[in-house]
Every structure is written in structure tokens, then in C-alpha cells.
Amino acid sequence: MSDHLSPSALTVPERTSNGSTSLISPQSPSASSFGGETLRGDPTRSRSNSSWTDDGTAYSPENRDEASSKIHTEFNKKAIESTEMSAEEALRPDPGSLDEFKAENNPFAYTPGLNNKMLNPKSLHAYKALGGVEGIAKALRTDVAAGLSDNETTFSDKVTFEEASTTNLHTSKKGNYHSVQLTDSRSTGSESNRFGDRRRVFGANVLPEKKTISFFKLLWMAYNDKILILLTIAAVISLALGLYETLGQPAQPTKPGQAPEGAKVDWVEGVAICVAIIIVVIVTAINDWQKERQFVKLNKKKADREVKAIRSGKSVQISVYDIMAGDVLHLEPGDLIPVDGIFIQGHNLKCDESSATGESDQMKKTPGKDVSHQIAKGVGSCTLDPFIISGAKVLEGVGTYLVTSVGVYSSFGKIMMRVRQETEATPLQVKLYRLASAIAKLGSSAALLLFSVLLIRFLAGLQGNTNPPAVKASQFLDILIVAVTIIVVAVPEGLPLAVTLALAFATTRMLKENNLVRVLRACETMGNATTICSDKTGTLTQNQMTVVAGTVGQDVEFGQSSSPIPEAVSRLSEETKDFLRQSIVINSTAFEGEVDGINTFIGSKTETALLTFAKDHLGMGPVAEERSNATIVQLIPFDSKRKCMGAIIKLPNGTHRLLVKGAAEILLARAAKVITHQTLLCSTAISSSQREALEDAITRYARLSLRTIAILFKDFESWPPAEASIDEDGVDFDSIFKDMVFAGVVGIQDPLRPGVPEAVKRCQNAGVVVRMVTGDNVTTAAAIATECGIKTPNGRIMEGPEFRKLSEEEMDQVLPHLQVLARSSPEDKRILVERLKHLGETVAVTGDGTNDAPALKLSDVGFSMGIAGTEVAKEASEIILMDDNFSSIVKAMMWGRAVNDAVAKFLQFQITVNITAVLLAFVSAVSSSEMKSVLTAVQLLWVNLIMDTFAALALATDPPTDQILDRKPTPKSAPLITVNMWKMILGQAVYQLVVTFILYYAGPTILNYDIHANPTLELELRTMVFNTFVWMQIFNEFNNRRLDNKLNIFEGITRNWFFIGINCIMVGGQIMIIFVGSTAFGITRINGVQWAICIGCAIFCLPWAIVLRYIPDRYAATLFTFVVKWFKIIFGPVGKVFSAVWAQITRPFRALFRVAHRKMGRRSQTSDGEMADEEKSRSESRNDLIETKPQPSTPPPITITKS
């Protein structure tokens, strides 16, 4: 180490008198150990080791024997430049990061700032200055083999910087690690103080809460609507004029000699409009607040996941939020790295750091001890990379790494703090925004036309108008208010709200049914899926695998109709059993660990089934012990193209053995010999009859729906073999994978999941084609597909290699009949999805592996497996199946259809009210001598509240019924409003207009009301029109619960308490308005007969809907086409004129609002920056999870807390 570092140096750089920088800190006592004992336990798995030479040391360019020399001759790297950076310079804080180098009462040698100096950018100089991986482990008071102690709380002593940074890097062989002995200095604390000091100094793996929008800001956002602001201005002016007329002017007699009028209450309408606006804004804000809370709950679950760690010497699964600095984590292909760290040891680890660093190349990692060794000898390569970056993806290889930075201190956490994004609108929301805009333009045109007509009439009558100026102004404002209110009613702002509420409700309920929705658009898209490409293992089957049959060598067979497993195994020689046990244990990535306090095997279900077989029947001991007894030279990870994996071990006699396991029929083709059960060394060439017998056994197992796994081996006198090809990762596997010895084959049973055949049948009845895409052979795939109901007599089965050789035209011809794709690779799945989408299908795909990511991304809806899926697959998917069950996909499809139906129901309801309310207000105002609408502004605002908020809540929360799958999927090209919907919209609008017009215009004659002699009767009639109109909307809401032509509109109503409750609120509100809202709403109380007339006219909406449903859709389509054609001819030019006029009128307002939004945006950005700084300082005291906004292309959720 450089002499620039003081023996007592710890954290904070400080300027000395001569201007130099030194690292200073208080003196601290020497380090001690966990309870005086060395935590050893399960050392890092042998499979995680580097490539090993014959003497057990790891391969490296500078320390190798003759065998390793052959491999690495071509891969010597240039030495690190001779210019040596001092430790002082390597660890100097960057500007603005000084706080990360400070920690009060720090029992650790390092701080988050010092740890981060290795990573931003990657610095081998900082790595060396911190003492390498063992120095960092000592500084963090952890153990590279046993991890953290599960009982740790706080420490009473300290480790100094000098003790950690000067740790002897050469006390053990390169590539091997010894436990760092630390004395246990914990205080007796509660569970809540677990890892107390560690959490205080290095933080938790959570991001500080992004401050949620306050309710008052939601109120402002809801009010920040141009139309509402315009209406407010008009209402305030109306209120001022009303107060002036009431308080500032004496009452004038209407005729000479007549008594003055009673006290005027013209100001009441202005107050009522303001109150109505306040209610609309509050209700909208409450809805938005509730919606945000639902999505927060959803994202808490979405961000959480489990990782594999070593604690107290045992491999355990912990939440990503529980990762601490000093933890030792496992790395496996497909993992998304959640935190920063240093690679301890492993094999052929390669990472994709493009999302974290922008580096597109695969980054091969070097074990930390090897890096330290080479740097110490002065011959290290400038390409050595022991750094594990959060946000990166593990492409291949296995290993363990030491966590150095978590939460806001990690690379990914810092990026996330800067780039938090808002949720994007879904395609359906975008469509509805466009539709709402179109409807708003039509409503605005009607309002502008009404305003123009009434204004012309008002101006024409000014000459003979003898009223005071205040009254004239009030008359003008009444015209303006009615026109603006029509715009308020016409603008369907409830449409986007409806889809948002439906999505929020659906995703929350879907989570309870094991569907975690990561991308909102997937929820609505899944409802229209036309085909599902499903994996077999774990999705259609239970993923609870057990070895139930097998054949060893030529003549030992067990399980099924053969001998019981114990009896057959007893006939094997000890040498054969030792070989099988070793092959299963060494050539595996599974390991022993704890799940919910129970010792079990963790990893691939196929491998855990083999380990269980070895433990139960072959005398296998602890996995770690079995692996530590073997000398592993090289590991070959599983390859989806080869369908196998391998390992090379050194035998006690000095020879080497290649162990291979994988797909039986593929491996059998590579075998030239077969063993006998007497001795492993006694193998004979496979005759044609023996090969045929083995093929028959494999086929027989496959027909029983068993997965067949073969075990092969081959011995070599020396390593690497003379005939082998060499690359930088070691011996090229394909160059030696030939002339193998066939040891045996096992059949692994994976029972079908209960309910899968029924779920497949329901999909088929719903018009959704289910295809099975599996890596199993044709026979096994056909057996499972037939059992599930996927395979039909006319269906076609193909193998992946055969499928990918087809031309695009041939694929397009085959796909309609293809039901099973066997022996498929992830690339085959991607091609399948691509061609299906080309044919216009809406494709849902399941996937669990890293290589499935392209197909998941390409599909319309990607389902990843929550249990068996890799993190890369989960990141590429839109929905995570929490139980890996195909039946959950059916649930997702039902909820997707329910979302689309909810939006259609609300759309049908809202457009009906829009048409009726606008036309009723328009016609009545134009025909009135007083230029007043039969529906006042306050009444229209109440109707608007019913339309936009209450109806959205009621209709958007209908859960799906079983009958929702009795129809075909909706095509992508289908319009938002179907012919059947238009039939109901126009039919109900016509009925409501006819009823209200008859009641308003013919009511005095029918009811014998002399409204000219008795103004009270006119007010009662207006009240009846308003009451009837509102009740028609309430009854029509029930009609809109069905979108088809079936008659039962009450189906499933008892399952939706939202609908029942909201309708009770609407009914109660309307009754209260009639009885106590006379002054504000411009109405009066009505008697029982009048109530009966109102309810009687309104309730006929229900039988009228039955009549409409009996009208064939084809007739309705013909009539609708005719009407639309003439509407365009007549009103098309008028619409263009009004659009041009409206654009000119609103141009100044648009400019004004753009300026206001820019200013608000700047303030928001400033406050967000201040908020982030404030949140970071408080992050350590937060515990509960909250929402993190989805990051489509960035990996792991380090996530969030709530104070």
C-alpha cells in the first residue's frame, strides 16, 4: 500500500497545511470476530470456481502449469501501465460527494463513498488501495465464504482503515479464500435493530420515496381545466351582478301601482355554480388520489423479488430490499444485478452492462483474488474486471460476489434517483383521448352555435330593452353561462378516467389472482389475444419433478412397469453408483439452502429432482461436501441450442473426465459406447440393436409424459486434450463432445396442473388458439399436449429445427394448423411469434429463461414465470405469473376483456347523455322567449357529475363473468364504438329526447297546467323535466351493463358493490336536490303524482332497451351508415367553419395557458430537485415500500420506502 495513507485513515479527505490531501479519522481498536469463531459453513460452490489447473489453482496468464499454458498462450494481456496512482489520489472524493465519505461512530473501516470510488468509473487503483476483495470484506466485517451473520445487530468496536486496506493478500493460494475472523461485538438488540450499524452507515437497498402528489395539488390539477376556469369566471361575474342587483338596487315595481317584488336572489345561481364546480373538482381529485393509492400498492409488489444470498454459511433466499452492504450474493444466468459489488469467485461470468454503463460488449468478470494477485505481481491486465455493477444482466456463468453499495449509493440507485418516469398512457387511453377530443369539438360547436344564436337575439332586442344595465349584463351572462355549461357537459373528461379506474381496479384484483401486471397496456391487450404460445414445464405442468423411471447402461431398468428403484439401484456396482452420484452433483447449478426455514434444494426443478434421486437412492451427502471433494477443471453452462451442460473434473489417478447431461435423444446420438452395470470402465460399442433398445426406452418414457435426461461421460489422459480447440474461456466444448460413453437415462415426471385441460378448453371456446412451445422431444410434447387438450386430431406437431428451415411463405401456411412446437429453441419461439404477428394475430407468450426475452419483448403480451423465471425474462415481460400457472393466463384474459368492456359500457352511457343533454339544452334555449335552457347551468353540472365520475366508478368496476369468454376476441381493427353500441346510444337518445320534449312542450296541455296564469306550475314542469331526465340516466346505467343483445342486465350485479353503492348515492342525491335544493337548482318540490310521472317515464328506458336489442344489428348498421352519410354532407362544411372560428377565438387563451404551464413546469422541476435532496437525507429512517415508477428498459427494482 502507498505510504500516503495514514495508519488511522478512514473516511474524510482533508486538506493539510501544505495543500496535500490525507485521509484522516479517529483511532479505532483492532477488529474482532463473530463470537470468537470463524464462520465457514457452505463455502462458495465448486461450480462457481474459476477454471482449475491440475494442482488446484486457478488459471491465469501469469501463474499456470503446462496445461493452462496451452489454453492461455494466445490471450496474454498487456500489463498495467507503469505509472502508479497513489492511494490518496485514487480515493479522493469527487466534487459534491463529500457526504458519502462521512459516517459518525462508524464501526466499519470504509464508507459508501470509499466503496464507490471503485465503480465510478471502474478503478483498479481504488480496488488496490482498499485492499482487494479480502480487504473490503474485512472493512465491511463480513466473510467471503460464509457471508453476514444472521444475528448481527450493532458493533461496539471498530475496524480501522489501515487494518482493512493492508490485509495480507497472499495468505492463501490464488483463487482460494479463507474466512475473515471477526470477533462478535454485537449488542443485545431487538429484531428491529438487526443490522443496525450496517443499515445506518451504508443504508438499506431502498430508494427514498418519491413524494406523492398532495391532495391539494390534485385539487389544483383537477381544477386546472380551461373550461372550468372559464365557467368560474362567468359564475363569479354572475355572482357579483346578482349581489349588486340584490343589495345595491331597490326593488322596482313591474307595473305602475304594483307592489315591489320580494327580495331578489339572483346571486344564488352564481354561488350554486361555484359550489357545483368545487364538488366536481373535489370528487375528481378524490378519484385521482384513490387511483394513485391503488397503483402504489401494485408497484410495491411489482418491485419486490427474491435473491439468493449466503448468510451464516447457508444459502438462503432474501428479499431484494433486505440486501446489506457486506452480503454475499449468488450470480446465475438471467439474474438482474440489484446492487454493486466485487466478484469473489465463479466460472466464466459474463455480464451485459449496457443498461448500466452503455457498454454494449459482454463484460467478462475476473475473480477479485485473481485480480489482486496479478496486480501485486505487477503483471495485471488492463482488462481485468472484478466489478459487479447494479443494473447489469448476467448472460452466462455462475459465481458469488461481495456487496459494496446498496440503495441510493449504488450505481443503479443513483440513476433511478435522476430518471424516475411517469406512467405512459395505454393505447386505449390514447384512443379515448382522441375520441374525447372529437366529441368535445362537436359539443363546443353546438355551444358556439347556441351562443351565436342567442347573442344575435339578445343584441337585436337591446333597442327595446328598458332594463337597467346590470340586468342587461346579467342576461348576457346567463347566455354565456348556458353556452359554457354545454361545453362542460359535452367534454367527456370521464372517458380517460374510466379506463384508468378500470385498469387500476383490474390490476389490483389480478394481483390477487396471481397476475402481477408490470405494464398497464398489457391488461387491455390481453383481452383481445387471439393466440397463446405457452411453455410446458411449470405452466401446463406443476413443476414438481420426480425421477420415476430410468435405464442404466444396457440392462438395468427401474420404475414404471420395471423393478422398483431401490431394487434396481442395489444391482449397480459401487463404482457405477459413485459415478452417477458425482455426475449429478457436479454437473448441476442447484444447491442446498433454506426456504421458509426448511432445508431443500434450490435451483432448476430438473436438477433438484436429480439431486433428490441421488440423495434418496445413491447415498449422496451434503452437496457442498460432495463438490468440495472433486477437483473441477472447467464448467460448460447449459446451452439451449445443444440442450445439454457439462463439467470436466480431475480424477485421483490424474486423468480427466468430461461429464455431460441433457436431452436424451440428442445425447444418445453423440454416444459411441455404453457402460455395463458391473463396472464403469467396462464399456462396449453401442450396437444397432442396443441403440434401438435405448431409443425405444426413451420413446416409451416420453409417451408416458416423462422428461428424459441422459447422462454421458468421456475420459481423457490429459487436459486439455490434444485434439481440442482452445478459446479464451478454455476448451471448446463442441470440439470434444463426440464419441461419448452412454451411462444411462432417467424419466422425470412432472404432473399436469389441475384445471389446465379445462382452462385450455375455455380459451378455445373464447376463440383463442393455444399452442405449446417446449424443449421436450416430440413424443413427450405430443403426450402432454393431448392430455391438456391442446393437440387435436387435425393439429400439427413440428420440431424446432424443422420449423426454422421453412420459408416465410411455408410458415404462414403451416401456422394455422401448428399446435405443438417441440425441441424448440428460444429463437424458434421468437420466429413463431414474429410470423403470427405478421398474420395479424394478437400474441401472448410465456417464457422463463433469459433467452426467452426476445420472444417476450416481441409479443403483444409477454408472461414471465414468477417462480421459475429469470430476472431478465421478468424484465422483458408485461405480466408476471406469480404461480407459473396456465389457468392464471385465462384469468388475465378475462380481466383484460373486462377492462375493454368497462370502457365500452361507460362510452355507450356517456355519449347517450352527451347527445341528449346538449340537444335538450340547445333546443329549449333557442325556442325560449327568455333565451333560457330548460336545464340550468347548475342542473347540467349535476348531470355532468353523474356522467363523468359516478358512472365511471360504477361501470368501470364490474368484475368479469364466466360468460365473458363465450365470445371471440375483438380484432385490432375493430372501432371503439360498435354497431350494437350505436344502436343503443341513438335509440336511447331518441327516447329520452322524445320524452323530455313532450313533457316540456306538451306537458301543460297533457297535465292541464296553465303556466301563464300560474308561474309556480311552470317551475313544477321544469322540475319534472329535470327529474325525469336524471332518472332516465340512472335507469339507462343499468342498460349499459350489457354490451350484447342478451336481456339480463342484472347479471352479476351483486358481485359489484361499487355499482350498487354509487347508484344509491346518485338516487339519494337526486331526491335531496328535489326536496332541499330548490333555490340553488332553480326548481321546486313536486307532489306524489308528479314523482310517479317522472319515474314512470324514466323507467320505460328498460323495456325500450329490450326492443332495441331485438332489432338485428345488420338493419341498424344500414340505417346508421345512411344517417352518417347525410350528416357529413349537411354538417361537414358547417363543422369546418366552426372549427376555424373556434380556433381563432381560443388562440389567445391557448397562448396564455402555454405560458402558465411553462412556469408551472419550471417550478415543478425546481421543487422535484429540492425534494430529491431532502428525501436522500431522510432515506435511512424509512421502512415501508411505496411505488416506484416502471422502467421499461432498466433492470432491477432497488426500491422505495415510506416514512
Side-chain angles (χ1 to χ4, degrees):
M1 291 296 297
S2 170
D3 57 4
H4 289 277
L5 288 177
S6 165
S8 61
L10 176 60
T11 57
V12 184
E14 189 171 275
R15 290 285 174 187
T16 59
S17 58
N18 61 3
S20 63
T21 304
S22 63
L23 296 168
I24 62 173
S25 78
Q27 294 284 347
S28 60
S30 60
S32 49
S33 78
F34 292 110
E37 298 180 4
T38 301
L39 290 175
R40 293 189 179 273
D42 181 13
T44 306
R45 298 178 280 151
S46 297
R47 184 162 190 88
S48 303
N49 291 341
S50 302
S51 298
W52 299 100
T53 61
D54 288 354
D55 64 356
T57 60
Y59 284 132
S60 77
E62 281 66 46
N63 180 20
R64 55 180 181 263
D65 59 10
E66 182 178 352
S68 65
S69 175
K70 296 178 183 177
I71 294 179
H72 290 281
T73 299
E74 301 177 14
F75 302 102
N76 286 327
K77 310 294 185 184
K78 63 181 182 178
I80 294 178
E81 296 176 355
S82 58
T83 55
E84 181 72 19
M85 182 185 294
S86 68
E88 177 184 334
E89 185 178 356
L91 300 179
R92 181 177 298 144
D94 296 323
S97 65
L98 193 61
D99 288 342
E100 296 182 7
F101 288 75
K102 298 177 180 178
E104 295 182 2
N105 301 319
N106 187 4
F108 307 97
Y110 302 156
T111 59
L114 283 175
N115 289 341
N116 283 340
K117 289 300 294 182
M118 296 182 290
L119 299 169
N120 189 25
K122 296 178 183 178
S123 171
L124 288 174
H125 295 292
Y127 175 76
K128 175 185 175 183
L130 294 177
V133 66
E134 288 199 331
I136 297 168
K138 187 169 186 178
L140 297 179
R141 309 187 75 148
T142 185
D143 187 285
V144 294
L148 295 178
S149 169
D150 238 347
N151 300 318
E152 178 188 315
T153 53
T154 58
F155 295 94
S156 59
D157 64 344
K158 298 181 179 180
V159 177
T160 66
F161 183 94
E162 183 186 46
E163 289 172 337
S165 61
T166 57
T167 297
N168 188 351
L169 300 180
H170 314 296
T171 56
S172 63
K173 276 189 175 182
K174 180 172 63 69
N176 296 319
Y177 293 87
H178 60 278
S179 297
V180 180
Q181 298 185 7
L182 299 175
T183 305
D184 187 1
S185 302
R186 299 185 306 275
S187 63
T188 55
S190 63
E191 177 67 21
S192 62
N193 200 32
R194 191 169 176 235
F195 299 116
D197 280 339
R198 198 173 297 275
R199 191 184 302 271
R200 176 177 58 82
V201 174
F202 297 102
N205 192 36
V206 292
L207 293 184
E209 172 183 351
K210 181 180 180 182
K211 195 171 183 180
T212 54
I213 301 175
S214 68
F215 183 73
F216 293 104
K217 190 170 183 180
L218 287 173
L219 285 174
W220 169 247
M221 291 168 63
Y223 178 71
N224 194 18
D225 178 270
K226 290 175 254 189
I227 305 301
L228 284 180
I229 293 174
L230 182 61
L231 188 59
T232 304
I233 294 172
V236 170
I237 296 174
S238 174
L239 174 62
L241 288 173
L243 290 173
Y244 174 74
E245 289 182 26
T246 302
L247 304 176
Q249 295 288 330
Q252 299 292 331
T254 56
K255 292 181 181 180
Q258 186 177 1
E261 293 180 0
K264 291 189 176 182
V265 288
D266 292 346
W267 55 271
V268 171
E269 184 176 29
V271 172
I273 293 173
C274 292
V275 170
I277 292 172
I278 291 171
I279 292 174
V280 169
V281 168
I282 290 175
V283 172
T284 303
I286 290 173
N287 274 337
D288 289 339
W289 181 71
Q290 182 66 23
K291 174 194 70 179
E292 289 296 325
R293 287 188 61 196
Q294 285 181 306
F295 284 127
V296 164
K297 293 178 182 177
L298 175 69
N299 283 308
K300 287 180 188 178
K301 182 71 176 177
K302 181 172 71 177
D304 194 9
R305 61 187 174 95
E306 288 190 334
V307 295
K308 298 170 185 174
I310 299 176
R311 293 260 176 102
S312 297
K314 296 179 180 179
S315 293
V316 294
Q317 291 182 308
I318 62 173
S319 169
V320 71
Y321 306 125
D322 294 334
I323 300 174
M324 294 282 124
D327 260 320
V328 176
L329 301 184
H330 287 291
L331 293 169
E332 294 179 353
D335 283 351
L336 292 179
I337 299 171
V339 288
D340 296 335
I342 300 297
F343 186 30
I344 298 174
Q345 60 183 11
H347 170 73
N348 195 32
L349 187 70
K350 293 182 180 178
C351 296
D352 173 10
E353 298 179 352
S354 57
S355 60
T357 66
E359 177 59 56
S360 59
D361 294 336
Q362 295 183 9
M363 307 301 292
K364 184 172 182 181
K365 302 299 176 179
T366 310
K369 191 65 177 290
D370 294 355
V371 174
S372 300
H373 185 87
Q374 294 185 44
I375 291 176
K377 294 184 66 175
V379 290
S381 165
C382 62
T383 59
L384 294 176
D385 185 2
F387 307 112
I388 305 298
I389 307 294
S390 55
K393 305 171 185 177
V394 179
L395 299 177
E396 59 181 88
V398 290
T400 55
Y401 79 105
L402 173 64
V403 177
T404 58
S405 301
V406 299
V408 294
Y409 299 115
S410 67
S411 305
F412 184 74
K414 290 180 178 180
I415 294 173
M416 286 286 289
M417 288 295 293
R418 296 183 178 94
V419 298
R420 288 173 170 174
Q421 298 176 354
E422 299 297 326
T423 306
E424 295 181 356
T426 70
L428 185 57
Q429 285 173 320
V430 173
K431 286 183 181 179
L432 288 175
Y433 275 118
R434 292 172 183 166
L435 180 63
S437 177
I439 295 173
K441 287 180 181 178
L442 289 174
S444 300
S445 299
L448 183 60
L449 178 62
L450 174 65
F451 179 75
S452 302
V453 171
L454 297 183
L455 181 62
I456 292 171
R457 287 181 59 185
F458 173 74
L459 294 175
L462 276 179
Q463 188 173 359
N465 193 336
T466 58
N467 289 318
V471 175
K472 294 178 182 178
S474 178
Q475 291 173 342
F476 171 77
L477 274 178
D478 288 340
I479 295 172
L480 178 63
I481 287 172
V482 170
V484 173
T485 306
I486 286 179
I487 297 177
V488 172
V489 174
V491 174
E493 62 268 23
L495 285 179
L497 173 64
V499 68
T500 304
L501 288 172
L503 287 169
F505 181 74
T507 50
T508 303
R509 294 291 295 273
M510 285 172 69
L511 183 58
K512 296 179 181 178
E513 297 182 351
N514 299 309
N515 282 277
L516 174 57
V517 180
R518 297 184 64 255
V519 181
L520 281 181
R521 66 172 177 79
C523 186
E524 61 192 45
T525 306
M526 188 60 204
N528 299 323
T530 59
T531 184
I532 300 174
C533 299
S534 174
D535 283 344
K536 177 185 75 70
T537 304
T539 308
L540 299 173
T541 60
Q542 296 180 21
N543 205 22
Q544 296 176 356
M545 299 193 181
T546 310
V547 176
V548 297
T551 300
V552 180
Q554 300 178 19
D555 48 10
V556 176
E557 193 169 354
F558 58 84
Q560 296 298 324
S561 58
S562 306
S563 304
I565 295 178
E567 179 184 330
V569 170
S570 66
R571 291 157 52 194
L572 299 175
S573 66
E574 288 301 318
E575 184 182 21
T576 302
K577 287 192 285 188
D578 290 343
F579 161 75
L580 291 174
R581 181 175 63 249
Q582 188 177 57
S583 180
I584 290 171
V585 174
I586 302 301
N587 195 14
S588 173
T589 58
F591 56 93
E592 285 180 303
E594 286 187 3
V595 176
D596 298 329
I598 301 173
N599 290 325
T600 185
F601 296 117
I602 300 173
S604 161
K605 295 300 182 180
T606 301
E607 296 190 346
T608 57
L610 289 169
L611 288 174
T612 302
F613 172 77
K615 180 179 180 181
D616 293 343
H617 303 290
L618 299 177
M620 184 189 75
V623 171
E625 182 180 322
E626 294 278 354
R627 288 173 177 166
S628 64
N629 292 334
T631 303
I632 301 175
V633 177
Q634 185 176 334
L635 297 173
I636 298 96
F638 178 80
D639 187 291
S640 59
K641 295 179 181 178
R642 289 192 296 255
K643 300 291 183 186
C644 66
M645 62 191 299
I648 296 95
I649 60 174
K650 183 178 179 181
L651 301 178
N653 62 7
T655 61
H656 293 75
R657 175 170 290 163
L658 168 63
L659 306 172
V660 181
K661 81 165 187 288
E665 72 278 9
I666 293 177
L667 266 59
L668 180 58
R670 297 277 187 163
K673 298 180 180 181
V674 62
I675 67 169
T676 67
H677 70 281
Q678 297 299 326
T679 173
L680 193 66
L681 298 177
C682 182
S683 58
T684 60
I686 301 180
S687 64
S688 58
S689 60
Q690 289 174 330
R691 187 177 296 276
E692 186 176 341
L694 290 171
E695 289 173 350
D696 288 343
I698 294 171
T699 303
R700 186 170 66 255
Y701 297 154
R703 285 175 179 165
L704 295 171
S705 303
L706 304 183
R707 167 171 288 187
T708 54
I709 302 295
I711 297 175
L712 277 64
F713 76 97
K714 185 178 182 180
D715 289 340
F716 298 92
E717 292 297 326
S718 62
W719 191 261
E723 70 274 14
S725 300
I726 308 297
D727 58 28
E728 61 178 286
D729 295 329
V731 172
D732 177 47
F733 177 67
D734 291 325
S735 66
I736 58 173
F737 187 34
K738 55 188 176 183
D739 299 328
M740 304 292 292
V741 180
F742 188 90
V745 59
V746 294
I748 301 177
Q749 185 180 57
D750 187 8
L752 206 63
R753 283 187 180 273
V756 165
E758 293 79 6
V760 171
K761 184 67 175 176
R762 294 183 71 188
C763 287
Q764 293 167 343
N765 292 337
V768 180
V769 178
V770 182
R771 294 178 171 89
M772 188 171 78
V773 184
T774 178
D776 283 336
N777 63 42
V778 171
T779 309
T780 303
I784 292 289
T786 302
E787 192 177 353
C788 292
I790 294 174
K791 175 70 173 64
T792 61
N794 298 325
R796 185 165 181 178
I797 299 178
M798 292 186 72
E799 286 189 319
E802 178 188 0
F803 176 75
R804 76 177 75 109
K805 291 177 183 177
L806 299 176
S807 64
E808 292 184 351
E809 293 76 13
E810 291 171 332
M811 285 184 185
D812 294 345
Q813 293 176 0
V814 168
L815 283 177
H817 310 287
L818 182 66
Q819 294 176 338
V820 179
L821 189 62
R823 277 293 172 238
S824 62
S825 67
E827 178 62 14
D828 296 328
K829 184 185 289 187
R830 188 197 65 79
I831 295 172
L832 174 64
V833 173
E834 185 178 46
R835 295 314 303 169
L836 286 171
K837 291 188 68 176
H838 175 75
L839 294 176
E841 303 276 4
T842 301
V843 187
V845 173
T846 69
D848 56 6
T850 302
N851 290 337
D852 288 327
L856 290 169
K857 275 290 186 185
L858 184 61
S859 66
D860 294 290
V861 183
F863 287 87
S864 62
M865 304 297 109
I867 299 173
T870 65
E871 294 306 317
V872 172
K874 292 176 185 177
E875 186 66 22
S877 67
E878 285 83 20
I879 300 177
I880 299 175
L881 295 178
M882 305 302 290
D883 60 351
D884 293 8
N885 194 340
F886 182 84
S887 298
S888 297
I889 299 177
V890 180
K891 292 288 186 182
M893 184 164 61
M894 293 176 65
W895 276 106
R897 293 190 177 191
V899 167
N900 292 323
D901 284 1
V903 174
K905 292 172 185 176
F906 178 75
L907 189 58
Q908 181 173 299
F909 174 79
Q910 172 134 48
I911 294 179
T912 303
V913 186
N914 273 4
I915 294 173
T916 311
V918 171
L919 286 177
L920 180 61
F922 184 94
V923 173
S924 60
V926 170
S927 64
S928 170
S929 60
E930 299 178 351
M931 296 182 291
K932 290 184 178 181
S933 165
V934 65
L935 300 178
T936 66
V938 180
Q939 292 171 6
L940 285 171
L941 286 174
W942 167 239
V943 172
N944 186 66
L945 186 66
I946 292 175
M947 286 194 316
D948 286 340
T949 303
F950 291 148
L953 280 168
L955 294 172
T957 52
D958 259 343
T961 62
D962 291 337
Q963 289 72 30
I964 205 167
L965 295 181
D966 291 343
R967 66 173 192 260
K968 304 298 181 185
T970 304
K972 292 180 179 178
S973 57
L976 278 174
I977 307 176
T978 64
V979 171
N980 187 61
M981 290 171 64
W982 276 121
K983 180 177 70 176
M984 297 300 296
I985 290 169
L986 297 177
Q988 286 291 340
V990 167
Y991 173 81
Q992 293 179 18
L993 286 172
V994 168
V995 169
T996 49
F997 282 153
I998 290 175
L999 194 60
Y1000 182 53
Y1001 290 108
T1005 302
I1006 297 172
L1007 300 175
N1008 198 24
Y1009 287 176
D1010 188 356
I1011 59 176
H1012 299 291
N1014 190 353
T1016 303
L1017 291 177
E1018 181 181 7
L1019 186 59
E1020 289 179 359
L1021 185 63
R1022 286 177 172 269
T1023 303
M1024 291 174 65
V1025 172
F1026 166 63
N1027 196 31
T1028 302
F1029 181 79
V1030 172
W1031 278 97
M1032 282 193 291
Q1033 311 318 316
I1034 293 172
F1035 286 122
N1036 191 41
E1037 192 178 1
F1038 286 84
N1039 285 328
N1040 288 303
R1041 293 191 70 248
R1042 285 211 86 103
L1043 293 172
D1044 52 23
N1045 286 321
K1046 295 181 180 179
L1047 303 181
N1048 186 5
I1049 59 174
F1050 300 103
E1051 182 180 7
I1053 195 171
T1054 56
R1055 298 170 56 205
N1056 188 357
W1057 292 102
F1058 269 103
F1059 185 90
I1060 296 173
I1062 289 168
N1063 273 276
C1064 290
I1065 292 173
M1066 289 194 293
V1067 169
Q1070 180 63 17
I1071 293 173
M1072 286 182 61
I1073 286 171
I1074 297 298
F1075 279 95
V1076 300
S1078 57
T1079 303
F1081 282 81
I1083 56 177
T1084 187
R1085 290 189 181 187
I1086 55 179
N1087 58 37
V1089 174
Q1090 293 167 329
W1091 266 103
I1093 293 172
C1094 294
I1095 301 297
C1097 291
I1099 203 170
F1100 264 96
C1101 283
L1102 301 179
W1104 176 244
I1106 296 175
V1107 174
L1108 293 174
R1109 286 190 166 98
Y1110 272 115
I1111 299 175
D1113 288 350
R1114 62 181 183 276
Y1115 295 156
T1118 303
L1119 178 63
F1120 177 69
T1121 304
F1122 176 80
V1123 172
V1124 168
K1125 177 181 177 181
W1126 283 101
F1127 184 86
K1128 288 181 178 178
I1129 293 173
I1130 297 173
F1131 293 100
V1134 178
K1136 292 180 180 179
V1137 171
F1138 273 111
S1139 295
V1141 174
W1142 181 255
Q1144 296 300 320
I1145 293 175
T1146 58
R1147 179 178 293 177
F1149 295 99
R1150 289 200 301 268
L1152 181 63
F1153 277 108
R1154 280 197 297 270
V1155 172
H1157 278 301
R1158 287 195 198 103
K1159 291 184 178 179
M1160 289 294 294
R1162 291 194 197 103
R1163 292 175 187 172
S1164 177
Q1165 290 175 2
T1166 304
S1167 63
D1168 284 348
E1170 294 171 352
M1171 188 192 309
D1173 294 338
E1174 180 183 347
E1175 287 170 347
K1176 182 175 178 179
S1177 66
R1178 297 181 301 177
S1179 63
E1180 294 172 351
S1181 63
R1182 305 182 178 189
N1183 299 311
D1184 299 329
L1185 306 175
I1186 62 141
E1187 173 188 12
T1188 184
K1189 299 294 181 185
Q1191 305 288 325
S1193 60
T1194 51
I1198 302 184
T1199 272
I1200 305 171
T1201 59
K1202 184 178 182 181
S1203 45

